Amino acid sequence: MKVGLFGIGLDTYWPQFEGLLPRLEGYRRQIGMRMEEMGVTVVDAGMVDNPDKAMQAAGYLKEENIDMAFLYISTYALSSTVLPVAQQLKVPVILLNIQPVAAIDYEKLNRMNDRGDMTGEWLAHCQACSVPEIACVFNRSGIRYDIISGYLAEDETWKEIKDWIDAAKVFYSLNHSRLGILGHYYGGMLDVYTDLTELSATFGTHVEMIEMCELKALRDGISQEDVRQKISEFATAFDVISECEEAEVERAARTSAALDQLVAAHRIDALAYYYEGYGGNDYENIVTSVIAGNTLLTGKGIPVAGECEVKNVQAMKIMAEFGAGGSFSEFYAMDFKDDVVLLGHDGPAHFNMAEERVKLVPLPVYHGKPGKGLSIQMSVKQGPVTILSVAEGKDGFFLLLAEGQSVAGPTLQIGNTNSRYKFNISAKSFIEQWSKAGPSHHCAIGTGHIADKIKKLGFLLGIPVKQIACG
């Protein structure tokens, strides 16, 4: 992924104040090097200090096909030198109102004998001067922008820059990802149904329709050696409890190996699935043995959502790309005594974010689904969590999120994922506020508090972000 960087200043200053230009360019290069360390390619267009250089910078950054731009305000600059760049790039612009230090050394500056030198020293700290002017022009021109204010040695400044870069990486990933749909929706879940055209237009994600018969053909070709290797992988990733029948483990292993081949064949980055079949046919045999394999895929950064929850697998993908995991969940119950909400699902899960080793357990029946087979039992590790839903309202997609804590306490040992969550509002208020926002009944759980990053992603996507339980 490429991000653009350019500085702005006023060419009238350079002959007036000796050493000012190289000093300011040094600050910009310092910013660029720190950004490179965050794992992106920085395309530095240099100092833009007049309209001609603005056009040159715009052409260079367009040619490099950058995904977002950072505008370093090195000193006062005319907005007429900034607007042409932003207009031509047509990408979000982040204004870096970053001073060299937290505060001017007033005593040192005022001891200078030459007022010209004093003015030059002031201009090296004059980043804030242009912020209102640029914001005004961008507002009137419809340019999408945000502002980071701080100073070079401030940790918070670099955290905010990193949050923007992390969000841009996720934005880039969504724009280049392939989402597979295997089977069909769980009939009657009207909240789960979604507009795939709108999803592709909003997130830039390619949607690939996949047939169950292809998965069956791949599964029929799985060798006993493939099955043996997959069973070994199960033993490494899961605590395969003794009640699991050997035949069920082999059935799940064969399906898991076929799923790996299916994902590779279509270069799938996320998968939503559901199927019922009829009268115990081969497709039903496959779909009742997918949870273990889909959990492995989810833990490897290829999230899988059951019940064909396309919106939620997109939320899981966002969490995965932020490095926060992303486990498939729905509301299970409320504990009014402890003021917590229980969330879980029968799988898939994200085994890398489990509090304890994930158990592979047998279920005599899947609730609400045909057949029986293996399922996943785990709790999300205790500590800060973020809950995310890709929601769809009358006006299109939006992101709904909340930050809370995964907390200790009794959970349901029913062969499902199940965890307890506490928020800074009551469980009653949380479930009511969350539900009224209008998401589907599924959500993605991620570890850590990453609301700030998700809000930045929403800005890059151009869709609203709503946070629950934030006050």
Side-chain angles (χ1 to χ4, degrees), residues 391-444:
E392 191 172 11
K394 290 189 295 184
D395 299 321
F397 285 100
F398 64 96
L399 301 179
L400 178 65
L401 64 89
E403 291 183 338
Q405 298 285 328
S406 173
V407 296
T411 56
L412 307 175
Q413 303 298 300
I414 58 174
N416 285 194
T417 66
N418 194 212
S419 303
R420 300 162 63 86
Y421 300 99
K422 183 176 281 289
F423 303 93
N424 60 357
I425 57 175
S426 70
K428 176 181 177 179
S429 295
F430 174 78
I431 190 67
E432 292 176 358
Q433 289 186 33
W434 181 271
S435 300
K436 285 181 179 179
S440 67
H441 69 281
H442 298 117
C443 59

Coordinates of all heavy atoms in Angstrom, one line a residue, residues 391-444:
A391 N -23.4 -3.0 9.5 CA -24.9 -2.9 9.5 C -25.4 -2.2 8.2 O -24.6 -1.5 7.5 CB -25.4 -2.1 10.7
E392 N -26.6 -2.4 7.9 CA -27.2 -1.9 6.7 C -28.6 -1.3 7.1 O -29.5 -1.9 7.5 CB -27.4 -3.0 5.7 CG -27.8 -2.5 4.3 CD -27.8 -3.6 3.3 OE1 -27.7 -4.8 3.7 OE2 -27.8 -3.3 2.1
G393 N -28.7 0.0 6.8 CA -29.9 0.7 7.1 C -30.6 1.2 5.8 O -30.2 0.9 4.7
K394 N -31.6 2.1 5.9 CA -32.3 2.6 4.8 C -31.4 3.4 3.9 O -31.6 3.5 2.7 CB -33.5 3.4 5.2 CG -34.6 2.6 5.9 CD -35.8 3.5 6.1 CE -35.6 4.6 7.1 NZ -36.8 5.4 7.4
D395 N -30.3 4.0 4.4 CA -29.4 4.8 3.7 C -28.1 4.2 3.3 O -27.1 4.8 2.9 CB -29.1 6.1 4.4 CG -30.4 6.9 4.7 OD1 -31.2 7.0 3.8 OD2 -30.5 7.5 5.8
G396 N -28.0 2.8 3.5 CA -26.8 2.1 3.1 C -26.1 1.6 4.3 O -26.7 1.4 5.4
F397 N -24.8 1.2 4.1 CA -24.0 0.6 5.1 C -23.5 1.6 6.2 O -23.3 2.7 5.8 CB -22.9 -0.2 4.5 CG -23.2 -1.4 3.8 CD1 -23.3 -1.5 2.5 CD2 -23.5 -2.6 4.6 CE1 -23.7 -2.7 1.8 CE2 -23.8 -3.8 3.9 CZ -23.9 -3.8 2.6
F398 N -23.4 1.1 7.4 CA -22.7 1.9 8.4 C -22.0 0.9 9.4 O -22.3 -0.3 9.3 CB -23.6 2.8 9.2 CG -24.7 2.1 10.0 CD1 -24.6 1.9 11.3 CD2 -25.9 1.8 9.4 CE1 -25.6 1.2 12.1 CE2 -26.9 1.1 10.1 CZ -26.7 0.9 11.4
L399 N -21.0 1.3 10.1 CA -20.3 0.5 11.1 C -20.9 0.8 12.5 O -20.9 2.0 12.9 CB -18.8 0.7 11.0 CG -18.2 0.5 9.7 CD1 -16.7 0.8 9.8 CD2 -18.4 -0.9 9.2
L400 N -21.2 -0.2 13.2 CA -21.7 -0.1 14.6 C -20.7 -0.8 15.5 O -20.3 -1.9 15.3 CB -23.1 -0.7 14.8 CG -23.7 -0.7 16.2 CD1 -24.0 0.7 16.6 CD2 -24.9 -1.6 16.2
L401 N -20.2 -0.1 16.6 CA -19.2 -0.7 17.4 C -19.4 -0.3 18.9 O -20.2 0.6 19.2 CB -17.8 -0.3 17.0 CG -17.4 1.2 17.1 CD1 -16.8 1.6 18.4 CD2 -16.5 1.6 16.0
A402 N -18.8 -1.1 19.7 CA -18.8 -0.8 21.2 C -17.5 -1.4 21.8 O -17.0 -2.4 21.3 CB -20.0 -1.5 21.9
E403 N -17.0 -0.7 22.8 CA -15.8 -1.2 23.5 C -16.3 -1.6 24.9 O -17.1 -1.0 25.5 CB -14.8 -0.1 23.6 CG -14.1 0.3 22.3 CD -13.0 1.3 22.5 OE1 -13.0 2.1 23.5 OE2 -12.1 1.4 21.6
G404 N -15.7 -2.8 25.3 CA -16.1 -3.3 26.6 C -15.0 -4.2 27.1 O -13.8 -4.1 26.7
Q405 N -15.3 -5.1 28.0 CA -14.4 -6.0 28.6 C -14.9 -7.4 28.6 O -16.1 -7.6 28.9 CB -14.1 -5.6 30.1 CG -13.5 -4.2 30.3 CD -12.0 -4.2 29.9 OE1 -11.3 -5.2 30.1 NE2 -11.5 -3.1 29.5
S406 N -14.1 -8.4 28.2 CA -14.4 -9.8 28.4 C -14.0 -10.1 29.9 O -12.9 -9.9 30.2 CB -13.7 -10.7 27.4 OG -13.9 -12.0 27.7
V407 N -15.0 -10.6 30.6 CA -14.8 -10.8 32.1 C -15.0 -12.2 32.5 O -15.6 -13.0 31.8 CB -15.7 -9.9 32.9 CG1 -15.4 -8.4 32.6 CG2 -17.2 -10.2 32.6
A408 N -14.4 -12.5 33.6 CA -14.5 -13.9 34.2 C -15.9 -14.2 34.7 O -16.6 -13.3 35.0 CB -13.5 -14.1 35.3
G409 N -16.2 -15.4 34.8 CA -17.5 -15.8 35.3 C -18.0 -17.1 34.6 O -17.5 -17.6 33.7
P410 N -19.2 -17.6 35.1 CA -19.7 -18.8 34.6 C -20.2 -18.6 33.1 O -20.8 -17.6 32.8 CB -20.9 -19.2 35.5 CG -21.2 -17.9 36.2 CD -20.0 -17.1 36.3
T411 N -20.0 -19.6 32.3 CA -20.5 -19.6 30.9 C -21.2 -20.9 30.6 O -21.1 -21.9 31.4 CB -19.3 -19.4 29.9 OG1 -18.3 -20.4 30.0 CG2 -18.7 -18.0 30.0
L412 N -21.9 -21.0 29.5 CA -22.6 -22.2 29.1 C -21.6 -23.2 28.5 O -21.0 -22.8 27.4 CB -23.7 -21.8 28.1 CG -24.7 -20.7 28.6 CD1 -25.7 -20.4 27.5 CD2 -25.4 -21.1 29.8
Q413 N -21.5 -24.3 29.0 CA -20.7 -25.4 28.4 C -21.5 -26.3 27.5 O -21.6 -27.5 27.8 CB -20.0 -26.2 29.6 CG -19.3 -25.3 30.6 CD -18.1 -24.6 30.0 OE1 -17.2 -25.2 29.4 NE2 -18.1 -23.3 30.0
I414 N -21.9 -25.7 26.4 CA -22.9 -26.4 25.5 C -22.2 -26.7 24.2 O -22.9 -27.0 23.2 CB -24.2 -25.6 25.3 CG1 -23.9 -24.2 24.7 CG2 -24.9 -25.5 26.6 CD1 -25.1 -23.4 24.4
G415 N -20.9 -26.6 24.1 CA -20.2 -26.9 22.9 C -20.3 -25.8 21.9 O -20.3 -26.0 20.7
N416 N -20.3 -24.6 22.4 CA -20.3 -23.3 21.6 C -19.3 -22.4 22.1 O -18.7 -22.6 23.2 CB -21.7 -22.6 21.8 CG -22.8 -23.3 21.0 OD1 -23.9 -22.7 20.8 ND2 -22.6 -24.5 20.6
T417 N -19.0 -21.3 21.4 CA -18.2 -20.2 21.9 C -19.1 -19.5 22.9 O -20.3 -19.3 22.6 CB -17.7 -19.3 20.8 OG1 -18.8 -18.7 20.2 CG2 -16.9 -20.0 19.8
N418 N -18.6 -19.0 24.0 CA -19.5 -18.3 24.9 C -18.6 -17.5 25.9 O -17.6 -18.0 26.5 CB -20.3 -19.3 25.7 CG -21.4 -18.7 26.5 OD1 -21.8 -19.1 27.6 ND2 -22.0 -17.6 26.0
S419 N -18.9 -16.2 26.0 CA -18.1 -15.3 26.8 C -19.0 -14.3 27.5 O -20.2 -14.0 27.0 CB -17.0 -14.5 26.0 OG -16.2 -15.4 25.3
R420 N -18.5 -13.6 28.5 CA -19.2 -12.6 29.3 C -18.6 -11.3 29.0 O -17.4 -11.1 29.1 CB -19.2 -13.0 30.8 CG -19.8 -14.3 31.1 CD -19.3 -14.8 32.5 NE -19.7 -13.9 33.6 CZ -20.9 -14.0 34.2 NH1 -21.8 -15.0 33.8 NH2 -21.2 -13.2 35.2
Y421 N -19.5 -10.3 28.8 CA -19.0 -8.9 28.4 C -19.7 -7.9 29.3 O -20.9 -7.9 29.5 CB -19.2 -8.6 26.9 CG -18.6 -9.6 26.0 CD1 -19.3 -10.7 25.5 CD2 -17.2 -9.5 25.7 CE1 -18.7 -11.6 24.7 CE2 -16.6 -10.4 24.9 CZ -17.3 -11.5 24.4 OH -16.7 -12.4 23.6
K422 N -18.8 -7.0 29.8 CA -19.3 -5.8 30.6 C -18.9 -4.5 29.9 O -17.9 -4.4 29.3 CB -18.6 -5.9 32.0 CG -19.2 -4.8 32.9 CD -18.6 -5.0 34.3 CE -19.3 -6.1 35.1 NZ -20.6 -5.7 35.5
F423 N -19.9 -3.6 30.0 CA -19.7 -2.3 29.3 C -19.8 -1.2 30.4 O -20.1 -1.4 31.5 CB -20.7 -2.1 28.2 CG -20.7 -3.2 27.2 CD1 -21.5 -4.3 27.3 CD2 -19.8 -3.1 26.1 CE1 -21.5 -5.4 26.4 CE2 -19.8 -4.2 25.2 CZ -20.6 -5.3 25.3
N424 N -19.5 0.1 29.9 CA -19.5 1.1 30.9 C -20.9 1.7 31.0 O -21.1 2.8 31.6 CB -18.5 2.2 30.5 CG -18.7 2.9 29.2 OD1 -19.6 2.5 28.5 ND2 -17.9 3.8 28.8
I425 N -21.9 1.1 30.5 CA -23.3 1.3 30.8 C -23.9 -0.1 31.2 O -23.2 -1.1 31.0 CB -24.1 1.9 29.6 CG1 -23.9 1.0 28.3 CG2 -23.6 3.3 29.3 CD1 -24.8 1.5 27.2
S426 N -25.1 -0.1 31.7 CA -25.6 -1.3 32.1 C -25.9 -2.3 31.0 O -26.0 -1.8 29.8 CB -27.0 -1.0 32.9 OG -28.0 -0.6 31.9
A427 N -26.0 -3.5 31.3 CA -26.3 -4.5 30.3 C -27.6 -4.2 29.6 O -27.8 -4.4 28.4 CB -26.3 -5.9 30.9
K428 N -28.6 -3.8 30.4 CA -29.9 -3.5 29.9 C -29.8 -2.3 28.9 O -30.4 -2.4 27.8 CB -30.8 -3.1 31.0 CG -32.2 -2.7 30.6 CD -33.0 -2.3 31.8 CE -34.4 -1.8 31.4 NZ -35.3 -1.4 32.5
S429 N -29.1 -1.3 29.2 CA -29.0 -0.1 28.3 C -28.2 -0.5 27.1 O -28.5 0.0 26.0 CB -28.3 1.0 29.1 OG -29.0 1.5 30.1
F430 N -27.2 -1.3 27.3 CA -26.4 -1.7 26.1 C -27.2 -2.5 25.1 O -27.2 -2.1 23.9 CB -25.2 -2.6 26.5 CG -24.4 -3.1 25.4 CD1 -23.5 -2.2 24.7 CD2 -24.6 -4.4 24.9 CE1 -22.8 -2.7 23.5 CE2 -23.9 -4.8 23.8 CZ -23.0 -4.0 23.1
I431 N -27.9 -3.5 25.5 CA -28.6 -4.3 24.5 C -29.7 -3.5 23.8 O -30.0 -3.7 22.6 CB -29.2 -5.6 25.2 CG1 -29.8 -6.5 24.2 CG2 -30.3 -5.2 26.2 CD1 -28.8 -7.2 23.3
E432 N -30.3 -2.5 24.6 CA -31.3 -1.7 24.0 C -30.7 -0.7 23.0 O -31.3 -0.5 21.9 CB -32.1 -1.0 25.1 CG -33.0 -1.9 25.9 CD -33.7 -1.2 27.0 OE1 -33.5 0.0 27.2 OE2 -34.4 -1.9 27.8
Q433 N -29.6 -0.1 23.3 CA -29.0 0.9 22.4 C -28.5 0.2 21.2 O -28.6 0.7 20.1 CB -27.9 1.7 23.1 CG -28.4 2.7 24.2 CD -27.3 3.5 24.8 OE1 -26.3 3.8 24.1 NE2 -27.4 3.8 26.0
W434 N -27.8 -0.9 21.4 CA -27.2 -1.7 20.3 C -28.3 -2.1 19.3 O -28.2 -2.0 18.1 CB -26.5 -2.9 20.8 CG -25.8 -3.7 19.8 CD1 -26.4 -4.8 19.1 CD2 -24.5 -3.6 19.2 NE1 -25.4 -5.3 18.2 CE2 -24.3 -4.6 18.2 CE3 -23.4 -2.7 19.5 CZ2 -23.1 -4.7 17.5 CZ3 -22.2 -2.8 18.8 CH2 -22.1 -3.8 17.8
S435 N -29.4 -2.7 19.8 CA -30.5 -3.2 19.0 C -31.2 -2.1 18.2 O -31.5 -2.2 17.0 CB -31.5 -3.9 19.8 OG -30.9 -5.0 20.5
K436 N -31.4 -0.9 18.9 CA -32.1 0.2 18.2 C -31.3 0.8 17.1 O -31.8 1.4 16.2 CB -32.4 1.3 19.2 CG -33.6 0.9 20.2 CD -33.9 2.0 21.1 CE -35.1 1.7 22.0 NZ -35.4 2.8 23.0
A437 N -30.0 0.6 17.1 CA -29.1 1.1 16.0 C -29.4 0.3 14.7 O -29.1 0.8 13.6 CB -27.6 1.0 16.4
G438 N -29.9 -0.9 14.8 CA -30.4 -1.6 13.6 C -29.4 -2.6 13.0 O -29.4 -2.8 11.8
P439 N -28.5 -3.3 13.7 CA -27.6 -4.2 13.1 C -28.4 -5.6 12.9 O -29.5 -5.7 13.4 CB -26.5 -4.4 14.1 CG -27.2 -4.2 15.4 CD -28.2 -3.2 15.2
S440 N -27.7 -6.5 12.2 CA -28.3 -7.9 12.3 C -27.9 -8.5 13.6 O -27.2 -7.9 14.4 CB -27.7 -8.7 11.1 OG -26.3 -8.9 11.4
H441 N -28.4 -9.7 13.9 CA -28.3 -10.2 15.3 C -26.9 -10.8 15.5 O -26.5 -11.2 16.6 CB -29.3 -11.2 15.6 CG -29.3 -12.5 14.8 ND1 -29.7 -12.7 13.5 CD2 -28.8 -13.8 15.2 CE1 -29.6 -13.9 13.1 NE2 -29.0 -14.6 14.1
H442 N -26.1 -10.9 14.4 CA -24.7 -11.4 14.6 C -23.7 -10.2 14.8 O -24.0 -9.0 14.3 CB -24.2 -12.2 13.4 CG -25.0 -13.4 13.2 ND1 -25.8 -13.6 12.0 CD2 -25.2 -14.5 13.9 CE1 -26.4 -14.8 12.1 NE2 -26.0 -15.4 13.2
C443 N -22.6 -10.4 15.3 CA -21.5 -9.4 15.4 C -20.2 -10.1 15.5 O -20.1 -11.3 15.6 CB -21.7 -8.5 16.7 SG -21.7 -9.4 18.2
A444 N -19.1 -9.3 15.3 CA -17.7 -9.8 15.4 C -17.1 -9.3 16.6 O -17.1 -8.1 16.9 CB -17.0 -9.4 14.2

